[in-house]
Amino acid sequence: MSSPVELIKEKLDIVEFLRGYLQLHPAGRNFKALCPFHKERTPSFMISPERQSWRCFGCSAGGDVFSFLMKHENIEFYEALKTLAEKVGIEL
């Protein structure tokens, strides 16, 4: 049986989730945006739908949907897990 973390990652598309926080622009197979974690004029924040991950080449931050929510909302992992589980309808 899959863990709740794996189930959430399977059900939640990182591109659609981050679209709620950032203005995304297509960049080949990926998407780019201005990084919400530091000031910049040229987008260096890349989202890979294939890998379900993100990375900023300006400030070197990166990760998955959990790490984005934790960093953006300044919350701990368990809070991010509860929030994302509610969003996709998974009971913990």
Side-chain angles (χ1 to χ4, degrees), residues 9-26:
K9 286 182 179 183
E10 287 173 15
K11 288 188 170 195
L12 190 66
D13 178 26
I14 193 167
V15 174
E16 291 308 311
F17 181 75
L18 294 184
R19 202 179 295 277
Y21 292 89
L22 307 168
Q23 187 175 0
L24 306 182
H25 305 283

Side-chain angles (χ1 to χ4, degrees), residues 15 25-32 46-51:
V15 174
H25 305 283
R29 286 193 237 171
N30 300 320
F31 291 85
K32 64 182 177 180
M46 299 297 290
I47 301 126
S48 171
E50 289 175 5
R51 294 187 188 122

Side-chain angles (χ1 to χ4, degrees), residues 1-17 49 52 65-66 83-92:
M1 186 168 174
S2 296
S3 73
V5 172
E6 291 169 359
L7 286 172
I8 290 168
K9 286 182 179 183
E10 287 173 15
K11 288 188 170 195
L12 190 66
D13 178 26
I14 193 167
V15 174
E16 291 308 311
F17 181 75
Q52 290 292 298
V65 68
F66 289 95
T83 300
L84 295 173
E86 275 181 29
K87 187 167 185 67
V88 297
I90 294 175
E91 193 172 318
L92 298 176

